[in-house]
Amino acid sequence: MKQFNIQGFIVGILLCLCMQAVAQDPSGGDKDHARMKDKIKSAEIAYLAKQLDLTPEEAQKFWPLYNNYTHEVELLIAERRRNRQQDKKDDAAARQALEKEMDIEQRMVNVRNRYKQEFLKALPPRKAGSVFKAEREFRAQLIRQLKERNATRGPRRLRP
């Protein structure tokens, strides 16, 4: 009888470890995440294209710049996320994390200022000035839609 309980216990632990590995498997959940990210990116491009009303010549200059800009911003956001996840057990670690956060914020401002200048080279000032505004509007719209969708679905149930 004891042998069976020990085996059951070991099988239970192995099942938990396998389920955890499957939950973290990049081939499953990350594919859905990547698909959703691609859909959002496509919607953002369509929104910006409509808002900015780019001519073909402007679009040819703008989109490579915008793609580089978003790549740099995404790298900073990922760095910020990693910084926030670090354990801050003591005051020294918390102070260091705060300094890192402020550094990331400053670098974000620097990136936006640099690309503002690049957008002004590629677009008329009226359109270049609308890039960041249109980007903010798109994010606000996306967040609003996600909140509405989550509200209609109701609270999520935890799986057993």
Side-chain angles (χ1 to χ4, degrees):
M1 184 75 175
K2 264 189 171 178
Q3 183 74 354
F4 179 76
N5 287 339
I6 291 172
Q7 287 176 342
F9 178 73
I10 291 172
V11 168
I13 289 176
L14 289 174
L15 281 173
C16 287
L17 291 173
C18 288
M19 287 172 38
Q20 186 177 21
V22 167
Q24 295 176 356
D25 181 23
S27 64
D30 281 354
K31 282 184 182 177
D32 290 339
H33 179 74
R35 268 191 236 116
M36 181 61 75
K37 191 174 178 179
D38 287 344
K39 283 182 180 181
I40 291 170
K41 188 69 176 167
S42 295
E44 179 183 25
I45 289 168
Y47 185 85
L48 287 172
K50 181 181 176 193
Q51 293 300 106
L52 297 175
D53 191 28
L54 302 173
T55 66
E57 297 80 24
E58 291 169 345
Q60 189 176 17
K61 294 176 187 175
F62 172 74
W63 289 115
L65 286 173
Y66 188 76
N67 290 336
N68 290 338
Y69 159 73
T70 56
H71 177 72
E72 287 188 44
V73 167
E74 286 170 0
L75 290 174
L76 288 170
I77 290 170
E79 186 177 345
R80 176 187 290 148
R81 192 173 295 125
R82 285 190 305 272
N83 184 52
R84 288 181 178 166
Q85 290 174 349
Q86 289 178 351
D87 199 10
K88 298 156 188 87
K89 290 182 180 179
D90 58 19
D91 286 343
R95 183 183 309 270
Q96 185 178 17
L98 177 60
E99 290 298 323
K100 181 77 171 173
E101 176 72 21
M102 298 310 296
D103 176 61
I104 293 168
E105 285 293 324
Q106 183 60 54
R107 288 168 38 212
M108 185 74 77
V109 169
N110 293 345
V111 166
R112 291 173 60 89
N113 276 324
R114 184 165 30 97
Y115 278 95
K116 174 191 71 170
Q117 296 302 320
E118 293 298 319
F119 294 151
L120 281 167
K121 292 176 187 174
L123 302 174
R126 178 182 52 78
K127 290 182 181 183
S130 297
V131 173
F132 298 122
K133 180 181 180 231
E135 192 180 45
R136 278 191 311 274
E137 289 171 350
F138 174 78
R139 273 196 305 273
Q141 183 180 6
L142 177 66
I143 290 168
R144 191 171 41 257
Q145 287 177 358
L146 289 173
K147 283 181 181 179
E148 289 171 4
R149 187 176 299 167
N150 286 338
T152 59
R153 288 185 182 168
R156 288 188 179 181
R157 292 186 325 172
L158 295 177
R159 295 181 186 170

